[in-house]
Amino acid sequence: MSEVMDREQQAAAVETAPPPAPETAAEKTSLWKKWKGMPRKKRRKIIRRFVFLLILIAAGLGIWKFLSAKKGGEETEVLTDVVQYNSITSTVEGSGLTKAKDSETITIATTGTVSEVFVNEGDTVEPGTPLFVIDSDAARTAVDKARQDVLGREKQLNALLKDVAGLNLAAGYSGKLMEVVDLNPGDTISKEQKLAVLADDTRLRLTQYYSYAYEGMIHQGQSMDVSIPALMSSLPGTVEAVHMVSRITPEGTKLFSADILVENEGALTAEMAASATVTTAEGETIYPYEPGKLEYYRTGDLKSTVNGTVLSSTLVDFLQVTAGQVLVRVDGEDSEAEIYSAQQSLDEAQKTLETAEKNLANCSAVASIAGKVIGLTMKPGDEIAANTTVVTISDTSSLMVNATVDERNVSAVQVGTMVDLDQWGTMAMGTVESVSLSSTINNGVATYPMVISVDNTEETLQVNSYINYKLTASENDNCLVLPLQSVRTVSTEEGETLTVVYVKGDRPDNVVENIMADETIPEGFWPVAVEIGISDNYNVEIKSGVEEGTEVFTQIQTANPWGY
C-alpha cells in the first residue's frame, strides 16, 4: 500500500514540476564532453547503427521505385498549349563600356622639368585654355635634328628626280653632235659617262679687238658687217657685248674687245677666219686690229645621268639636232627603285618631324577641346620622364558606349535605333550610331561591334565604366504565338532541316514524314512544318503552318513520387 502511495506522489510531483529550462551553451558543451568522454568502442557502435539506418532508408526507396515500375512506371503528364493571337516583342540585351565621345590625352615624349601648371583635376576647360609649361631641351633638339634630316632627304630625292629625266637623254638645245660614243642596245652605261659633245652652231661668235680711239663708237646691239674670206662674202652681225679690257699691242696700241654674233644658215663652222667692221655716221669705217676666228655659240658634254642599259641610241657625229630631241633611251629600273626608296625615307623623316614638333608644342600645351580635366599627373618642379601621359581631357557631356551584338540579333539592329541604358540603377536613353560588318569569333559565336551615342549633359553617367543596354529589335502587336518549348528543329532522313510543331488530333494532310526524332513524342501528335518569326524569352511568332486554336505538344512532365 505504501508503494502505491509513493508512486502516486511521484507522478503528482512530475505533473506539478516546472518545465525543464532550455540547454545552455555550457550544457551543450557538456554533451560534447560526454560524447568525447565515451569509450571509442561505444561511439563506433552508435555510428554503425546510424549508418545502418540510412542504408535501410535507401533500400526502402529502391524497393518502392521498383514496385512502382512494376505497376506501370512513374506517373507522367502530357503538357500541351494552344496557338493563339498575342503581342510579342523581341529585345536585344547586353553590356558595354562608356567612353567620352571626344577626348584628348597629352603625352610628353621627351624628358623635361615642369615649370607651370595652370589647371587642376576636375576643372572645366575650353579650346585654347593654357594647361602647363615644361622646359625640355631634348624636345627642341629633336625638332632641329628632324628638320635637317628632312632637308637632306628632299635634296637627295630632287637630285634623283633630275637624274631620272636622263632615262630619255635629250638635247638641251639645238646644235650639232660631235665626239659621239658608239652605243648599241644592251650596252651598259654609267652615271656621268660622256656620250657626245653638243655644239650650238645655230649662231657663231666672233671676238674682235679695236683701238681705244674708237671707245664709245661700238656698243651692245650695234649692227656689224662680218667678212668671211672662205665664203668670199659678208654677213650681218650684232654686237653681243663690249669688254673694256686693256690689251697692248707690240706697237703700243691699247685695245678693247667686242663679241659679235653671226646667225648660221648652215655654211658657217668654227675656226673660220672673219673680220667685223662698222661705218660711223661720219662715213668712217672702223676696222679691228686683226682678223679673228668664228667659235660655236656654246658647247657642252652630253652625259648620262643614270646607271642603266641602253634601249636605243641615235647618236651620230655631226648630226643636227633640235632642243628636246631624244637621243638615247635607257632602262632605269634601278633608278626607279632608288627614287621609291628615297621617297619612303623622306616620308618617314617628315613623320618624325611632325612628331617632334607636336612633342615640342605639347611642352607648352593648350586644350584643343572643351571638356573636363579627368587626369593630371604632375606639379611644378616635377621631372618628367619620356613618354609620360600628363593630362587627359574628356568631353563628358556626350558619351559613346562600345558594345557588341551577337550574330543572332545583329540583323535587327539598325543605325538610329533607340536604346535603353542602365548603369547601376541610373537610367538613360541612347541611339545606335554604328554597327560594324566585321565580326569576332569567340567560343563559336560571332559578335559584331556596336557604338551607342548618349547625351550626358547632366553628367549622370560615369565615364570609363560598364553599362547595360536593352533595345527593341522587332515587335508585333497581333500575331499567332506559341511557347518556345512547343517549337522544335528536326532533321529528316533526306537530310532536310525543318522547324515543326506536333499538333494533336487526326493525321493532317501536311504531316512531315521520316523525321529523325531524338525524343519520344506521345501518340496522337503529328509533326507539321511551321514558319517562325520573332521571339522573346518565352514565346515565338508563328507565321504559317498552323491556325489559331490548334493544340500542340509542349513537353512530358513526370509526376513527383513524393507528391510535392
Side-chain angles (χ1 to χ4, degrees):
M1 188 69 173
S2 60
E3 292 178 359
V4 173
M5 290 295 293
D6 290 339
R7 292 193 187 99
E8 292 177 351
Q9 291 175 358
Q10 290 174 2
V14 170
E15 291 176 357
T16 59
E23 291 181 341
T24 64
E27 290 171 335
K28 291 180 179 179
T29 303
S30 176
L31 290 174
W32 172 248
K33 289 182 178 179
K34 289 179 180 180
W35 169 260
K36 294 292 288 184
M38 285 183 184
R40 181 177 298 177
K41 186 175 181 181
K42 187 174 182 179
R43 282 187 290 173
R44 288 179 177 175
K45 188 175 182 181
I46 293 173
I47 293 173
R48 281 198 296 270
R49 287 178 179 177
F50 181 72
V51 172
F52 180 71
L53 179 61
L54 290 178
I55 293 173
L56 287 178
I57 293 173
L61 286 174
I63 294 171
W64 182 85
K65 287 187 177 181
F66 175 76
L67 293 176
S68 298
K70 295 289 285 183
K71 292 178 181 179
E74 296 178 342
E75 295 182 8
T76 59
E77 179 183 1
V78 177
L79 301 183
T80 63
D81 215 299
V82 177
V83 180
Q84 57 185 332
Y85 279 95
N86 206 337
S87 62
I88 189 171
T89 301
S90 175
T91 59
V92 178
E93 299 182 28
S95 63
L97 188 66
T98 58
K99 293 284 186 181
K101 201 165 189 178
D102 197 5
S103 183
E104 176 191 27
T105 298
I106 299 177
T107 299
I108 302 301
T110 56
T111 58
T113 304
V114 180
S115 299
E116 296 180 273
V117 179
F118 305 112
V119 294
N120 296 306
E121 193 164 342
D123 286 356
T124 299
V125 297
E126 297 294 330
T129 301
L131 301 175
F132 58 82
V133 174
I134 293 176
D135 184 23
S136 175
D137 290 334
R140 289 188 289 270
T141 301
V143 170
D144 293 340
K145 181 179 178 182
R147 282 176 180 165
Q148 292 300 319
D149 191 28
V150 167
L151 289 175
R153 296 189 182 278
E154 284 179 342
K155 291 179 180 178
Q156 180 185 11
L157 179 60
N158 289 336
L160 287 171
L161 291 173
K162 183 178 179 181
D163 290 345
V164 82
L167 291 177
N168 291 331
L169 186 60
Y173 48 86
S174 297
K176 180 188 298 182
L177 295 179
M178 298 183 297
E179 301 179 25
V180 167
V181 174
D182 185 26
L183 293 177
N184 296 298
D187 288 349
T188 299
I189 60 175
S190 57
K191 185 176 180 180
E192 296 299 323
Q193 180 179 344
K194 181 179 176 181
L195 304 180
V197 173
L198 178 60
D200 183 356
D201 63 347
T202 58
R203 293 175 291 178
L204 286 95
R205 179 182 290 110
L206 174 64
T207 299
Q208 297 278 263
Y209 288 89
Y210 300 93
S211 171
Y212 263 84
Y214 304 114
E215 182 180 358
M217 295 183 183
I218 297 175
H219 53 80
Q220 184 179 13
Q222 187 176 15
S223 295
M224 304 287 282
D225 184 31
V226 180
S227 175
I228 302 177
L231 299 179
M232 293 183 294
S233 64
S234 296
L235 298 174
T238 304
V239 177
E240 179 186 27
V242 175
H243 308 289
M244 303 310 295
V245 297
S246 180
R247 177 186 173 186
I248 307 299
T249 69
E251 298 81 16
T253 305
K254 185 179 179 181
L255 308 176
F256 66 89
S257 67
D259 294 332
I260 297 94
L261 296 182
V262 181
E263 296 295 329
N264 185 13
E265 297 180 358
L268 302 179
T269 186
E271 299 301 318
M272 281 185 172
S275 298
T277 60
V278 63
T279 302
T280 64
E282 292 77 15
E284 182 182 3
T285 300
I286 301 176
Y287 293 93
Y289 171 72
E290 61 190 359
K293 291 184 178 181
L294 294 176
E295 300 174 350
Y296 293 120
Y297 178 69
R298 55 183 167 177
T299 59
D301 292 339
L302 193 64
K303 296 181 179 180
S304 172
T305 58
V306 294
N307 298 316
T309 303
V310 175
L311 296 176
S312 64
S313 172
T314 57
L315 296 178
V316 179
D317 271 324
F318 308 112
L319 177 69
Q320 290 293 140
V321 298
T322 57
Q325 181 178 339
V326 175
L327 304 174
V328 181
R329 297 184 185 277
V330 182
D331 180 1
E333 184 176 347
D334 293 341
S335 296
E336 292 175 359
E338 288 184 48
I339 290 174
Y340 177 79
S341 178
Q343 183 65 63
Q344 293 293 102
S345 298
L346 176 59
D347 291 343
E348 290 298 322
Q350 289 172 334
K351 289 179 182 178
T352 301
L353 176 58
E354 291 173 4
T355 301
E357 289 175 337
K358 181 179 179 181
N359 292 338
L360 181 59
N362 283 345
C363 290
S364 300
V366 298
S368 63
I369 64 171
K372 181 180 292 185
V373 179
I374 65 171
L376 182 64
T377 61
M378 62 180 179
K379 61 183 183 298
D382 285 352
E383 295 293 331
I384 301 298
N387 301 315
T388 300
T389 298
V390 293
V391 172
T392 299
I393 300 171
S394 293
D395 180 5
T396 56
S397 65
S398 182
L399 306 182
M400 61 181 182
V401 179
N402 293 323
T404 58
V405 57
D406 63 39
E407 57 190 338
R408 297 168 298 179
N409 299 306
V410 67
S411 61
V413 180
Q414 306 293 328
V415 174
T417 301
M418 301 303 294
V419 184
D420 293 318
L421 299 169
D422 180 1
Q423 189 181 62
W424 312 311
T426 301
M427 311 304 294
M429 183 67 71
T431 305
V432 175
E433 186 172 289
S434 66
V435 182
S436 175
L437 298 178
S438 178
S439 65
T440 301
I441 307 297
N442 289 312
N443 298 323
V445 178
T447 57
Y448 295 79
M450 173 176 64
V451 177
I452 303 168
S453 60
V454 190
D455 180 17
N456 192 38
T457 305
E458 297 181 0
E459 298 189 354
T460 56
L461 299 178
Q462 295 293 323
V463 183
N464 300 324
S465 184
Y466 280 96
I467 191 169
N468 296 321
Y469 74 83
K470 181 178 181 180
L471 59 87
T472 299
S474 55
E475 56 187 343
N476 195 332
D477 293 332
N478 187 27
C479 62
L480 293 174
V481 299
L482 276 174
L484 291 170
Q485 299 93 322
S486 300
V487 181
R488 291 163 170 78
T489 300
V490 299
S491 298
T492 66
E493 294 179 358
E494 291 77 15
E496 186 178 6
T497 301
L498 299 173
T499 302
V500 302
V501 297
Y502 289 89
V503 301
K504 183 178 182 181
D506 296 334
R507 178 187 175 93
D509 295 335
N510 59 341
V511 66
V512 179
E513 302 286 357
N514 302 324
I515 285 182
M516 300 173 64
D518 57 358
E519 63 176 321
T520 301
I521 305 299
E523 293 184 2
F525 291 90
W526 306 92
V528 172
V530 293
E531 181 186 0
I532 62 174
I534 63 175
S535 63
D536 57 21
N537 293 332
Y538 307 101
N539 299 314
V540 60
E541 176 188 8
I542 305 298
K543 290 187 172 182
S544 64
V546 291
E547 299 178 348
E548 181 186 15
T550 302
E551 185 177 2
V552 301
F553 170 65
T554 301
Q555 64 182 359
I556 295 176
Q557 179 174 290
T558 302
N560 193 316
W562 297 101
Y564 60 84

